[in-house]
Amino acid sequence: MYPVSDRFLQRLTENHTPVTRVQLFLTDGRVIDIEHTGGSVTVDRSQAIRRTCTITCHDPSLIPRTATDMLATYGSLLRVSRGVEYGDGTSELVSLGLFRLDSVDGDISDGPVNLQGKALECAVADDKFTTPYTATGTVVGAVTALIQRTLPSADVISYITDTPIGSRAFDVEADPWAGAQEIAAAAGAEVYTNADGVFAIATLPDLLTATPVWAVEATEGGVYISGNRAMSSDNVCNGVLARGENTADDTPAVSALVVDNDPGSPTRWGGPFGKRPKFISSSTLTTVAACQQAAALELVNAKAPNASGDFSSLPNPALEPGDVLRVVHPDGTRELHQVASFSVPLDEGGDFPITTISAKEDT
């Protein structure tokens, strides 16, 4: 979860006025606050571009007509924030993301005007290779090089143990962002931009060991509004076979199969759940040990999605995908859920749906 004060989390459960801010960063260095009437920021870890925004403004004069107009879509950025007022003249805001302004449209006479933006992954994805490119070295080094090839000043933070990779060649027209995701996956990790617009390389927290960051409770003073619970075996795997073959480095083919061998697990390999393998392959995997590591980390994700939930609560703009929530249902049952996606409204009283990817009983 984005760092916030205990006072902030308590204020979310109380009657309060939300505070929102939209800043426009122009290519000439100017920063301008944009008056807005609503919108939302959607965060979804299943998407290659994790964060997107929609901003609604009332002033039709904002619609650009030339390349030099303030909201012309030629490289300007939007930073969106939401927070709370404390009623004593102070407030606390959290960032919801840094976005490239991609489109502006609206009724030229009466408005409203709609601004659309995507997080900075889009800049890397759009910068397709015009010459062959080879990634080498380590996971963190290769991912960082792909990002900074497009955005030289981009900050990249790693939360993983760096590991060497085999060389990975990319053809002309290939997607560098897809390449960065593939290389991160060799270490069982994800790469994305966080709420501050910083690129992060990290693994998904383990639901079984992570500490819950927020409680969604159907109790007096709680933030729970409604909820649905589901369980499905679709897309659940209990084994991962990782393979690597790198002819460019003249290394032999290697592989490793890692399975759920916990005798107490409902998805144990060869148990009532059967055998449901998932396959991953990359030329970056050049040793059996590397295959074992990639398969073991991927297995954590592969086993997770059988139990899920869709909840609606009072908005919490500080949430991040992967956060673990403690959910208390109206019947008193308690569960731990892991956040997959949500949409933060930029107007007062907006709904706040949360989708989770895994769940377990909270004892």
Side-chain angles (χ1 to χ4, degrees):
M1 187 164 67
Y2 195 91
V4 293
S5 66
D6 292 340
R7 187 185 184 193
F8 181 95
L9 295 177
Q10 177 59 38
R11 188 62 170 164
L12 294 178
T13 69
E14 303 169 351
N15 185 25
H16 68 277
T17 301
V19 182
T20 60
R21 187 180 189 187
V22 178
Q23 296 172 287
L24 176 68
F25 292 77
L26 297 171
T27 56
D28 62 9
R30 289 180 294 158
V31 181
I32 299 171
D33 281 339
I34 298 294
E35 292 188 11
H36 57 284
T37 57
S40 63
V41 170
T42 299
V43 187
D44 187 345
R45 72 175 291 270
S46 70
Q47 300 299 311
I49 299 172
R50 181 170 287 200
R51 294 173 183 267
T52 57
C53 73
T54 299
I55 311 297
T56 304
C57 306
H58 71 277
D59 185 1
S61 68
L62 291 174
I63 300 172
R65 290 168 173 79
T66 72
T68 59
D69 286 347
M70 184 174 70
L71 290 183
T73 56
Y74 293 103
S76 295
L77 302 176
L78 297 168
R79 183 178 295 281
V80 184
S81 306
R82 173 172 170 144
V84 298
E85 286 186 350
Y86 288 121
D88 58 3
T90 64
S91 61
E92 185 174 353
L93 283 167
V94 298
S95 178
L96 295 174
L98 184 64
F99 306 91
R100 186 183 70 184
L101 177 60
D102 272 1
S103 70
V104 182
D105 69 84
D107 187 294
I108 60 174
S109 298
D110 302 318
V113 180
N114 298 305
L115 284 59
Q116 306 280 344
K118 302 187 188 82
L120 298 184
E121 295 99 326
C122 67
V124 180
D126 286 346
D127 188 12
K128 303 292 191 292
F129 295 115
T130 56
T131 59
Y133 181 93
T134 300
T136 59
T138 66
V139 169
V140 175
V143 170
T144 300
L146 281 167
I147 293 168
Q148 293 182 343
R149 165 184 168 271
T150 300
L151 303 169
S153 62
D155 293 324
V156 182
I157 298 176
S158 172
Y159 299 96
I160 67 170
T161 300
D162 202 6
T163 56
I165 61 169
S167 60
R168 171 64 166 94
F170 295 96
D171 295 329
V172 173
E173 296 187 36
D175 180 344
W177 183 244
Q181 293 177 303
E182 176 192 330
I183 293 168
E190 304 171 311
V191 56
Y192 54 89
T193 57
N194 64 19
D196 288 320
V198 173
F199 287 86
I201 306 170
T203 57
L204 185 69
D206 188 344
L207 177 67
L208 300 179
T209 59
T211 301
V213 300
W214 197 44
V216 179
E217 299 175 329
T219 57
E220 185 175 354
V223 300
Y224 185 107
I225 295 177
S226 64
N228 293 316
R229 184 71 158 77
M231 181 176 288
S232 171
S233 63
D234 292 346
N235 301 316
V236 180
C237 298
N238 56 1
V240 177
L241 178 65
R243 296 172 292 176
E245 184 172 5
N246 195 316
T247 56
D249 292 347
D250 195 25
T251 58
V254 290
S255 66
L257 174 66
V258 178
V259 302
D260 180 3
N261 55 13
D262 180 356
S265 172
T267 58
R268 68 185 180 278
W269 183 260
F273 190 72
K275 297 179 180 179
R276 307 188 190 188
K278 179 177 182 177
F279 302 90
I280 58 176
S281 62
S282 175
S283 64
T284 64
L285 300 172
T286 57
T287 67
V288 172
C291 290
Q292 288 174 331
Q293 174 180 274
L297 289 168
E298 183 60 33
L299 182 61
V300 174
N301 295 334
K303 293 188 300 180
N306 64 311
S308 62
D310 295 305
F311 302 97
S312 183
S313 75
L314 299 180
N316 181 353
L319 285 185
E320 295 274 6
D323 282 347
V324 174
L325 308 179
R326 174 171 287 111
V327 178
V328 180
H329 295 280
D331 63 1
T333 56
R334 297 159 57 92
E335 296 171 330
L336 297 179
H337 282 259
Q338 193 160 38
V339 175
S341 65
F342 53 89
S343 184
V344 182
L346 299 180
D347 51 8
E348 189 171 353
D351 192 21
F352 184 59
I354 306 171
T355 299
T356 63
I357 51 174
S358 57
K360 76 179 188 72
E361 184 180 3
D362 180 19
T363 57

